Amino acid sequence: MHAHAEPPVSRGPRQRGHEIASLDAFDRVAATGSLAGYHVQSLDLSDRTFALLGTDTKDSVFLGCVMEPDAAAKVRAGGALVFPPVPGLPFDPYRGALYAPDELYAGLLDTGYDGTPDARAYRWYQETKTTGDVVAGMLRSIHDDAVSDALDAHLDGARVVGVLGGHALERGSAAYAGAARLGRRLSREGLTVATGGGPGAMEAANLGAYTAPFEDPVLDAALALLSGTPHSTPSVTQWAHTAFDVLRRWPGGGPSLAMPTWFYGHEPPNAFASHIAKYFVNALREEGLLARSNAGLVFLPGAAGTVQEVFDAATLNYYRPHGEPTPMVLVDHRHWTETLPAWPLLQTLSTGHPMASRLTLVDSVDDVPEALARLTTEAPHTGEH
């Protein structure tokens, strides 16, 4: 379990209390003599018994916290709601922070991908969803809600641009290198690059953001190293090994966000995002990525999943009740007008609607930053719709 050491904050509907997701934060609050109304997430409090015995816990909630029996009995008697840890799970449903690549891929060098927490969580998901186990479903829901909560805290105040595209794009291809250059440039312009977190175009954009603080030749060298393992098939282990080789050779890269899902077992998370919001429910992951991309959405060539994301984003823009539509940039004229002709339908759908001035189609990833800037500064047109 990884807990972030940020001060407790109050967000949204949880205004009755604050959230505590680190031992440092717990110690600061407990020192005041009152944890009343606080939500304490996934902490090992086994050596905080003295503090728990002497602290007011009325209306507090303990989510998956390890406590000595005396302490657990006392906080319950004091009016707290206690959700105990669930033994045997390959994930923490009450986690208070986003994932890191090292966490999901722990043990990769010793056991290969099949022994990592990521692979074990996927197997658990496959086994439990076929049985219709209501407890497993509840745990998945709690986990995904906790991840969303951590994601909102992480992105507070950030300008996020979503980069979406197909998982089939191979390392070593010109298109992969182009997506990486795009991620690097967007990150250097102060934007938080967010992707669906899988292989292909998604990995490339996260890689570009990772290399943003380095001199330009670092990205070229990283691309050359990665090209020896073009894709996660046939071996996720080798694909991930090569990515971690890049991380070890050039440590301390730039931040970005990945939002993968265990729904797709063929899409393991890429290792280049500093923060990973991984979900069991794909719909939460997809809508969450689109809705949080407040600085724009970039759609690289992709297949069914990317097409779905294009029109999910268009629907959000079309029915947006407040605020301006989110800029949408589609890349590769031929792909979006001939191979998968989504662009003509988007144009027709947006005619006379404010979203019309927030859509554009460009030929190259090199055109994206200017297109995003233009769509952001132009006033949306209104009309009959």
Side-chain angles (χ1 to χ4, degrees):
M1 180 197 70
H2 292 251
H4 56 203
E6 298 174 359
V9 295
S10 179
R11 291 189 298 278
R14 301 182 181 180
Q15 69 272 14
R16 287 187 63 195
H18 300 290
E19 295 167 6
I20 297 175
S22 73
L23 290 175
D24 287 343
F26 176 87
D27 291 340
R28 288 197 301 271
V29 177
T32 69
S34 178
L35 289 163
Y38 279 82
H39 293 188
V40 187
Q41 288 180 253
S42 197
L43 298 181
D44 185 349
L45 302 175
S46 53
D47 55 357
R48 262 59 172 190
T49 299
F50 181 79
L52 291 168
L53 292 177
T55 303
D56 179 12
T57 57
K58 181 180 180 181
D59 294 330
S60 59
V61 180
F62 290 82
L63 299 167
C65 294
V66 178
M67 291 181 278
E68 293 295 331
D70 288 349
K74 187 272 175 188
V75 299
R76 285 192 181 96
L81 183 61
V82 178
F83 291 82
V86 182
L89 287 180
F91 64 95
D92 177 6
Y94 308 112
R95 61 181 303 111
L98 299 178
Y99 290 99
D102 286 345
E103 181 181 2
L104 290 174
Y105 281 105
L108 179 71
L109 292 175
D110 300 321
T111 64
Y113 175 70
D114 285 345
T116 64
D118 187 68
R120 290 189 287 113
Y122 173 67
R123 287 196 297 272
W124 177 89
Y125 172 50
Q126 291 299 307
E127 293 165 0
T128 56
K129 78 173 184 177
T130 58
T131 64
D133 185 337
V134 66
V135 175
M138 178 188 70
L139 292 171
R140 293 195 297 268
S141 296
I142 292 172
H143 169 274
D144 285 1
D145 181 69
V147 167
S148 290
D149 198 52
L151 181 59
D152 286 336
H154 174 68
L155 292 179
D156 186 27
R159 296 174 61 229
V160 182
V161 58
V163 180
L164 304 102
H167 69 272
L169 194 64
E170 291 192 346
R171 296 167 172 175
S173 66
Y176 184 98
R181 291 197 308 273
L182 173 62
R184 181 177 65 183
R185 182 169 174 184
L186 293 173
S187 184
R188 286 176 173 176
E189 292 183 359
L191 296 167
T192 296
V193 172
T195 78
M202 298 171 279
E203 180 189 57
N206 288 126
L207 168 66
Y210 182 82
T211 62
F214 304 121
E215 297 293 329
D216 287 357
V218 168
L219 177 56
D220 297 331
L223 290 170
L225 181 59
L226 292 169
S227 65
T229 312
H231 205 271
S232 57
T233 56
S235 172
V236 175
T237 299
Q238 291 304 316
W239 174 79
H241 267 307
T242 311
F244 280 101
D245 284 345
V246 170
L247 298 178
R248 284 189 290 269
R249 187 169 299 190
W250 296 283
S256 67
L257 172 68
M259 294 179 64
T261 175
W262 281 294
F263 182 81
Y264 294 121
H266 64 287
E267 287 193 357
N270 77 72
F272 295 115
S274 57
H275 296 81
I276 301 175
K278 188 149 193 179
Y279 288 86
F280 288 105
V281 179
N282 185 51
L284 288 176
R285 165 251 197 166
E286 288 189 344
E287 186 172 350
L289 173 56
L290 298 174
R292 289 174 174 87
S293 296
N294 54 14
L297 290 159
V298 180
F299 298 92
L300 303 175
T306 310
V307 171
Q308 177 181 340
E309 289 161 345
V310 167
F311 287 103
D312 281 347
T315 302
L316 289 172
N317 268 345
Y318 192 90
Y319 291 110
R320 187 180 298 276
H322 305 291
E324 297 180 354
T326 301
M328 295 174 60
V329 181
L330 279 67
V331 180
D332 192 324
H333 190 277
R334 182 175 181 180
H335 183 84
W336 294 116
T337 61
E338 297 179 22
T339 307
L340 293 174
W343 179 248
L345 180 53
L346 279 176
Q347 285 185 300
T348 302
L349 180 68
S350 65
T351 300
H353 193 278
M355 68 182 278
S357 62
R358 290 293 192 263
L359 296 172
T360 195
L361 174 64
V362 299
D363 288 323
S364 166
V365 291
D366 297 329
D367 302 322
V368 169
E370 289 79 10
L372 281 173
R374 174 171 52 80
L375 296 180
T376 301
T377 57
E378 287 182 358
H381 306 305
T382 59
E384 296 296 326
H385 57 278

